[in-house]
Amino acid sequence: RGRWVAVMGKKKKAAKSVRWAAASGFASGESDRVARPQDSWAAKPDNSLAPFVHPLAVQEGAEGKGKAPEAGRASALDEREEKLARRAEKLGYSKATTSERHPLSAAIRGLAYEEWMLECQQAQAFKSFEKTPFTYVDTEEKLAQLAAKLDGEGVIAVDLENHSLHSYQGFLCLMQISTRTEDFIVDSLALRERIGPALGHIFADAAKVKVMHGATSDIVWLQRCHGIYLANLFDTGQAARVLALPSFGLAYLLLHYCNYKTNKTYQMADWRQRPLPQHLVTYARADTHFLLYMYDRLRIDLQSRTSVPDQLQVELPASPHPQGPMGTVLQRSASISLQMYQKPVFTETTYLDYYSKQRGATFTPKQLAVFAGLYAWRDAEARRLDESPEAVLAKSQLMDLARGSGASADSTQVTVKKICNRKQNPARACQEELCRVIESAVEQEISYGSPMKKKTAGNSNASGAAVEPKGKKDKEKTVKKKSKKKKAPVRNRPSASG
């Protein structure tokens, strides 16, 4: 009976997954059949190893719209910028190289928060979807109208939807924006080259509050796709952490503050679909529709809180910068907004970082050499095709090829064919090339920075011993040392004849 229940449970779970996949556009092969938007772009994605170039300024004069720092505060602001940069590094956010400076660093570090940004006496209630005007922005005319409306707003809610599977660096598909009275969804595919020039000054305006949830990734998405940089961020995810709520996710906050239940599985939907299905429009719209009401409620709760969890403590600038819980939320949000996008880096040792994250992976030196060669081929092919490495050669295929290849040319061909035919991806059509990569890797003993060593006399590691992922301790040697016993004294033994 127990086995029957388990089987039926798995069947129900599988059926639920199939229904979700069909609804979100990830039904078998469906995602692969969606047209690739980047193929029609005038400016093709630059997937080379050259670094991403940030502009020296964003929308000329935009920084001036915020309150400029006084001359006497210059040294204090420089110190504050250093603190923000150090905080960003501790939080694990991307940093610019030493030769780069965030285009809005002066506006962010010199921001003078107005009283209405810090306090809220009563939350402004949200209206239902039916009673709230909604506009799908997919033309330049509608985009200009949106910009004109946002120019008159003091606070806006923003969220983004992206696609990463069939693109090396990924790209934005939607930008959701809500004011106190209206909802908008901007088609980032149809207006890719127009969004930055039209809306960049609004995001850069330090006098406007941008309310976002979990903005760590969204900040760099805006820079990469639209050349948009942001000042005066209020991250509701950071507020939830400072308030020590049971959960920090948007789904929890929507249920807790708005009694609205959202289906977060749609977060992984294929947002390239056009026209966009209605259920995805509703999901995307909900991400910002309630956000300004939540912003009010969070500010009210922050006002009544007197302490900050120890693990969230940050060094706050001196007054007039807000102090306490509210000051902490704003400082952590500022650190997030100071991020600067950097393109994915590939070096001779990058594969070791990836290998160290694979649980249970224990490769011999030869297997690790094959893994290194395949990893390099996968990355180069993904850059060339503008596909994600996972879409070119799945992780399961990469690991299985490394484990089972290299014994001989014939066996390698059989293994490659069997593993590559499991999925409909570019690797399926590159089997001969993959065989050559594997053969070359074995011959050259590719081991850049790896635990492997060249084969030398007495080197047990080179003779085929397993190489554990980086960070694991070699317990076997320790056990052997402990178990080593003293040899018994040699005694006179009787001769063979005796």
Side-chain angles (χ1 to χ4, degrees):
R1 184 175 180 276
R3 182 179 295 179
W4 179 84
V5 171
V7 170
M8 290 305 294
K10 288 181 179 179
K11 286 184 176 180
K12 288 182 179 179
K13 188 175 181 180
K16 184 177 180 181
S17 298
V18 169
R19 289 196 300 272
W20 169 82
S24 5
F26 278 111
S28 180
E30 176 120 1
S31 179
D32 296 329
R33 290 196 294 269
V34 176
R36 286 165 42 99
Q38 64 266 46
D39 292 340
S40 61
W41 294 344
K44 301 301 180 184
D46 178 13
N47 296 326
S48 69
L49 297 176
F52 183 83
V53 179
H54 290 270
L56 296 178
V58 179
Q59 271 73 35
E60 187 174 351
E63 289 198 42
K65 292 192 175 185
K67 289 190 176 180
E70 299 171 7
R73 296 171 57 202
S75 59
L77 292 177
D78 288 338
E79 183 181 352
R80 180 181 174 189
E81 183 180 17
E82 290 180 6
K83 290 179 181 178
L84 286 171
R86 289 197 300 270
R87 182 59 193 166
E89 184 176 1
K90 288 181 180 179
L91 292 175
Y93 304 139
S94 302
K95 295 188 304 156
T97 60
T98 54
S99 61
E100 291 178 316
R101 184 183 180 92
H102 195 287
L104 296 180
S105 60
I108 295 171
R109 63 194 175 99
L111 181 58
Y113 295 97
E114 298 182 34
E115 186 175 347
W116 69 266
M117 299 177 183
L118 308 176
E119 300 178 358
C120 181
Q121 301 303 320
Q122 184 174 358
Q124 183 173 328
F126 58 85
K127 294 182 179 180
S128 65
F129 285 133
E130 293 75 20
K131 293 183 179 180
T132 304
F134 168 71
T135 305
Y136 186 83
V137 180
D138 58 353
T139 66
E140 291 187 47
E141 181 181 0
K142 291 180 180 179
L143 183 62
Q145 293 171 354
L146 170 61
K149 289 182 179 181
L150 297 181
D151 277 332
E153 298 291 337
V155 56
I156 59 173
V158 182
D159 192 43
L160 307 169
E161 305 297 343
N162 67 78
H163 180 83
S164 298
L165 180 60
H166 292 292
S167 169
Y168 188 78
Q169 297 180 71
F171 51 79
L172 288 178
C173 299
L174 296 179
M175 177 188 292
Q176 303 100 285
I177 299 177
S178 289
T179 66
R180 294 285 187 180
T181 57
E182 293 187 67
D183 294 334
F184 304 87
I185 290 183
V186 183
D187 192 331
S188 296
L189 298 180
L191 299 169
R192 180 178 173 84
E193 302 297 330
R194 306 296 181 186
I195 291 176
L199 303 182
H201 70 281
I202 293 168
F203 284 85
D205 188 351
K208 297 181 186 296
V209 180
K210 274 67 67 174
V211 181
M212 305 176 74
H213 181 86
T216 304
S217 297
D218 291 345
I219 292 296
V220 292
W221 278 114
L222 287 170
Q223 295 173 9
R224 174 172 52 208
C225 296
H226 300 310
I228 289 178
Y229 297 76
L230 188 150
N232 200 347
L233 168 69
F234 184 98
D235 191 322
T236 55
Q238 295 301 322
R241 286 169 171 81
V242 171
L243 289 170
L245 296 179
S247 176
F248 314 136
L250 181 59
Y252 171 80
L253 295 182
L254 286 171
L255 191 61
H256 177 69
Y257 285 114
C258 310
N259 196 31
Y260 180 83
K261 188 173 182 179
T262 185
N263 186 355
K264 294 307 289 184
T265 56
Y266 289 138
Q267 188 174 21
M268 301 303 295
D270 191 343
W271 294 100
R272 301 174 301 168
Q273 301 175 73
R274 295 296 183 274
L276 204 61
Q278 184 56 46
H279 65 277
L280 292 185
V281 171
T282 302
Y283 167 84
R285 186 182 175 188
D287 280 351
T288 57
H289 178 80
F290 304 95
L291 208 52
L292 295 183
Y293 172 76
M294 284 167 42
Y295 167 61
D296 291 344
R297 292 288 302 274
L298 288 166
R299 282 185 296 158
I300 293 173
D301 290 349
L302 286 168
Q303 288 171 220
S304 61
R305 188 174 179 86
T306 57
S307 62
V308 176
D310 291 341
Q311 70 275 18
L312 299 178
Q313 294 277 356
V314 294
E315 188 175 357
L316 300 177
S319 181
H321 186 280
Q323 303 297 303
M326 176 61 78
T328 301
V329 171
L330 295 176
Q331 183 75 347
R332 291 175 67 88
S333 297
S335 296
I336 293 173
S337 64
L338 276 173
Q339 294 178 100
M340 291 184 74
Y341 172 67
Q342 293 179 350
K343 287 166 63 176
V345 176
F346 182 87
T347 67
E348 292 179 337
T349 59
T350 304
Y351 77 97
L352 285 174
D353 295 330
Y354 187 85
Y355 173 68
S356 67
K357 296 173 183 176
Q358 310 310 312
R359 292 186 178 181
T362 307
F363 285 175
T364 66
K366 184 167 71 172
Q367 289 173 331
L368 192 58
V370 173
F371 177 85
L374 292 173
Y375 184 87
W377 174 88
R378 185 176 81 151
D379 184 83
E381 194 70 1
R383 290 175 186 267
R384 184 182 71 83
L385 298 174
D386 193 34
E387 292 278 355
S388 68
E390 180 69 19
V392 171
L393 180 69
K395 181 177 72 173
S396 61
Q397 292 176 301
L398 173 63
M399 301 299 289
D400 290 346
L401 283 171
R403 286 191 188 95
S405 303
S408 67
D410 291 339
S411 64
T412 295
Q413 289 180 0
V414 173
T415 301
V416 169
K417 182 178 181 180
K418 179 181 178 181
I419 295 174
C420 287
N421 286 345
R422 292 198 314 223
K423 293 182 178 290
Q424 292 286 350
N425 57 21
R428 190 185 184 102
C430 299
Q431 296 181 26
E432 291 184 7
E433 187 176 353
L434 287 172
C435 288
R436 290 194 295 270
V437 169
I438 293 170
E439 181 181 356
S440 176
V442 173
E443 289 178 355
Q444 298 178 37
E445 292 187 3
I446 298 176
S447 59
Y448 304 113
S450 75
M452 294 190 306
K453 297 179 181 179
K454 295 287 184 182
K455 290 184 180 181
T456 55
N459 183 358
S460 60
N461 194 31
S463 64
V467 178
E468 293 189 347
K470 180 176 159 185
K472 288 189 177 180
K473 295 182 179 179
D474 187 358
K475 297 180 181 178
E476 187 178 351
K477 291 183 180 179
T478 305
V479 173
K480 285 184 178 180
K481 286 182 180 179
K482 289 182 179 179
S483 61
K484 199 172 182 180
K485 296 180 180 179
K486 292 182 180 180
K487 293 182 179 180
V490 179
R491 298 177 180 178
N492 294 330
R493 296 176 183 174
S495 62
S497 59

